[in-house]
Amino acid sequence: MAIQFHGFLPFYFLFFFSFLWLTCFSIHKPEGVGICSSVVQPVGYKCEEFEVTTEDGYILGIQRILEGRAGGNGTKRQPVLLQHGVLVDGISWLLNSPEQSLAYVLADNGFDVWIANTRGTRPSFRHISLSPSDKAYWAWSWDELAAHDLPAMIDFILKKTGQKLHYVGHSLGTLIALASLSERREVDKMKSVALLCPVAYLDHMETPLGIVAAKVFLGEILSDWLGMPEFNLNNKKISNFLSKLCSANPGIDCNDLVISFTGNNCCLNASTVDVFLKYEPQPTSMKNMVHLAQTFRDGILRKYDYGSNVTNFERYGQHTPPVYNLSNIPNSLPLFLGHGGKDFLADVKDVEHLLDNLKFHDPDQLSVHYVQEYAHEDFVLGVSAKHMVYESVMTFFRDHQ
Ligand SMILES: *[C@@H]1O[C@H](CO)[C@@H](O)[C@H](O)[C@H]1NC(C)=O
Ligand SMILES: *[C@@H]1O[C@H](CO)[C@@H](O)[C@H](O)[C@H]1NC(C)=O
Ligand SMILES: *[C@@H]1O[C@H](CO)[C@@H](O)[C@H](O)[C@H]1NC(C)=O
Ligand SMILES: *[C@@H]1O[C@H](CO)[C@@H](O)[C@H](O)[C@H]1NC(C)=O
């Protein structure tokens, strides 16, 4: 008996402590219930957190800033959903001052602001049955973000507000929307769609690190070189992999990852970038990175390529992955397209390719806004972005209610 007890004691302790740890974790550091209290409320805005479960079981954290600092003044506010890009989460809309950050600028200008966080990021890392340590948890690419995350969030907002919404996507947030709209999903739930730094095509991508990484992803990840389903820049194996890439490719400046990936942003505030790097990068799935690399390689927007026509056939009923035909986006859908001359990721030539797909779009419903000196991150973090971009976005929203 004594021996038995002795043997079980450590086990009980372990169990107890894991339980305690898990309890503390979920009560005091509930991932996804924290952006409001740690970031938004301190600068004077009311903010609410919600959880939305996708059809395939991911539990997404979503924040709402219902009114500006001056209050709501009783008017009905139009909902706007902000969808961040890859390797970041919704916090990236909130890091400059309230006069400069898009989420606050919208709230102070009478909009009802909703902030998305895609699966796998810190506010949205939970799943009804899987855990991030399961391989199956990471078995998705931007196909699933378009097919599951986006509709779950949009339907939730629609239900809460009873209104169609305006959408702002940055980078991968534009790709998700374009993919979805090209399948004519969500179209009737959107008042208008603003795409900042659209990345439907990546074949002119100029970021040297991106190009090298894309080639490596296509060659080696598929043969399971890294052997892990999660892509997390904070992971030692991944950062070693990047430094190896850097030393093997002298053309890449790895001292500044932000520049290497996104271009020479003109207008970032150094202290904001420091804060940004405290929260980001966020993990994503290896499959998502491989899918982006395929988009870069193929110069064509289509679903994830399983690399074998047999597997593709099993998945899709055809030997090659189905194409997202952007010409299927209804010509009457109000579209705002903002892009920059210094953007390494959303290259001007690739944006022209996208615009060529939209050449039959109703000219009254398509507004193209070009900022010569802006690179990729300026659209989210630029100190001048309110004046250079956001005011035009808000005018566009007001013109398309
Ligand atoms: C309420 O606020 C909005 C946005 O700031 C403004 O456009 C509107 O005129 C205000 N309405 C009233 C009744 O003050
Ligand atoms: C940059 O950020 C710091 C800290 O938030 C702030 O004090 C400063 O005014 C900002 N500079 C600009 C140009 O916005
Ligand atoms: C399937 O792939 C193989 C090898 O890659 C190729 O030889 C074959 O023609 C493909 N079949 C179809 C139907 O595309
Ligand atoms: C894409 O859609 C357009 C308009 O719906 C159609 O004319 C075109 O043939 C389609 N392209 C492809 C490759 O399916």
Side-chain angles (χ1 to χ4, degrees), residues 44-298:
Y45 293 79
K46 285 187 189 152
C47 179
E48 284 177 276
E49 311 250 2
F50 299 95
E51 280 179 349
V52 181
T53 304
T54 66
E55 220 171 57
D56 54 350
Y58 292 83
I59 302 169
L60 309 178
I62 184 164
Q63 291 78 36
R64 180 190 202 180
I65 308 175
L66 177 57
E67 48 186 57
R69 279 170 297 181
N73 83 0
T75 50
K76 192 168 182 185
R77 301 163 81 86
Q78 299 188 41
V80 182
L81 176 62
L82 305 184
Q83 174 61 62
H84 62 79
V86 69
L87 298 175
V88 300
D89 62 8
I91 286 184
S92 51
W93 301 108
L94 297 163
L95 296 179
N96 275 326
S97 74
E99 291 73 27
Q100 296 166 338
S101 305
L102 180 58
Y104 300 129
V105 168
L106 285 168
D108 283 334
N109 281 275
F111 293 93
D112 174 9
V113 180
W114 295 79
I115 299 172
N117 301 277
T118 49
R119 59 181 63 186
T121 61
R122 207 166 27 130
S124 300
F125 83 106
R126 291 192 301 133
H127 185 275
I128 52 170
S129 62
L130 298 170
S131 118
S133 57
D134 298 328
K135 211 165 177 174
Y137 176 95
W138 297 103
W140 51 267
S141 77
W142 53 262
D143 287 333
E144 282 74 24
L145 302 183
H148 301 301
D149 286 23
L150 188 63
M153 291 183 291
I154 289 177
D155 288 346
F156 185 80
I157 297 168
L158 218 82
K159 220 164 106 191
K160 280 273 177 189
T161 64
Q163 294 186 68
K164 296 207 248 181
L165 48 94
H166 299 287
Y167 179 91
V168 181
H170 177 243
S171 192
L172 192 73
T174 67
L175 182 53
I176 301 168
L178 287 166
S180 191
L181 295 170
S182 77
E183 296 187 323
R184 305 232 167 175
R185 288 184 278 126
E186 314 309 326
V187 171
D188 53 355
K189 299 172 186 169
M190 306 271 210
K191 283 179 179 152
S192 74
V193 175
L195 306 170
L196 306 180
C197 313
V199 293
Y201 298 103
L202 285 169
D203 39 320
H204 291 93
M205 174 174 77
E206 280 180 80
T207 161
L209 185 55
I211 291 169
V212 175
K215 289 183 178 151
V216 173
F217 275 122
L218 289 168
E220 308 198 44
I221 303 280
L222 284 178
S223 62
D224 227 16
W225 183 70
L226 286 166
M228 60 174 86
E230 174 185 1
F231 182 84
N232 186 343
L233 285 168
N234 297 315
N235 181 303
K236 201 135 181 238
K237 228 163 146 188
I238 303 267
S239 54
N240 286 346
F241 152 74
L242 280 181
S243 19
K244 250 198 244 158
L245 278 188
C246 290
S247 50
N249 295 274
I252 303 175
D253 175 14
C254 287
N255 294 321
D256 194 332
L257 275 183
V258 175
I259 290 185
S260 316
F261 264 126
T262 64
N264 282 298
N265 299 286
C266 63
C267 304
L268 305 191
N269 180 340
S271 26
T272 303
V273 172
D274 286 343
V275 179
F276 176 77
L277 292 173
K278 261 191 227 158
Y279 292 107
E280 321 292 1
Q282 293 284 317
T284 188
S285 70
M286 221 36 116
K287 190 174 174 183
N288 194 26
M289 298 304 278
V290 173
H291 194 182
L292 284 170
Q294 292 174 349
T295 308
F296 162 75
R297 173 193 65 191
D298 300 342

Side-chain angles (χ1 to χ4, degrees), residues 28-39:
H28 298 295
K29 239 187 117 213
E31 310 282 338
V33 187
I35 293 181
C36 278
S37 58
S38 65
V39 180

